[in-house]
């Protein structure tokens, strides 16, 4: 007899996939509607109430931190989270998760460096 409180593996994959898609949507809206310019003199809005973001204060804070850490390469985060969410939703589990996370961080750092290369 199975335990009625235990979810089947397929349902857990779907739930985690939907959660990842939600986080990806949050990151997309935060970064796409952010008014943060990334200047050194004023790294974050003087008062976060002044931040112009579709998601308000949480979106402005997340977008500011990601922009400081990764620059324009932060947009890679929501893309990869969306792909992972779709994979899980379609019942294709993510194997080697620590390797994938380290790879994502390294790819973001490499892309951030490439965005600052001046070819002139």
């Amino acid at each position: 007899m199975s335990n009625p409180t235990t979810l089947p593996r397929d349902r857990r994959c779907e739930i985690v996939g939907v959660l990842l898609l939600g986080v990806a949507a949050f990151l997309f809206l935060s970064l796409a509607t952010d008014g943060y310019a990334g200047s050194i003199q004023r790294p974050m809005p003087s008062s976060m109430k002044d931040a112009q973001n579709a998601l308000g204060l949480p979106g402005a804070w997340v977008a500011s931190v990601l922009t400081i850490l990764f620059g324009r390469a932060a947009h890679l985060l929501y893309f990869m989270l969306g792909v992972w969410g779709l994979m899980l939703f379609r019942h294709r589990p993510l194997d080697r998760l620590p390797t994938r996370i380290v790879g994502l961080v390294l790819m973001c750092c490499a892309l951030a460096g490439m965005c600052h290369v001046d070819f002139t």
Side-chain angles (χ1 to χ4, degrees), residues 35-115:
Y36 175 67
S39 66
I40 296 173
Q41 292 85 4
R42 192 172 153 197
M44 287 191 180
S46 58
S47 131
M48 290 303 267
K49 296 175 190 171
D50 298 337
Q52 298 172 355
N53 195 304
L55 299 177
L57 182 63
W61 188 82
V62 167
S64 297
V65 169
L66 287 177
T67 303
I68 288 170
L69 290 177
F70 297 112
R72 295 190 189 274
H75 293 276
L76 183 65
L77 292 174
Y78 63 77
F79 176 75
M80 291 304 296
L81 284 178
V83 168
W84 290 352
L86 285 175
M87 284 178 61
L88 285 173
F89 190 72
R90 296 185 66 205
H91 305 289
R92 297 177 188 258
L94 295 174
D95 52 343
R96 302 180 321 264
L97 188 62
T99 305
R100 289 180 185 260
I101 291 173
V102 169
L104 176 64
V105 171
L106 289 175
M107 194 166 36
C108 281
C109 292
L111 187 60
M114 290 297 293
C115 286

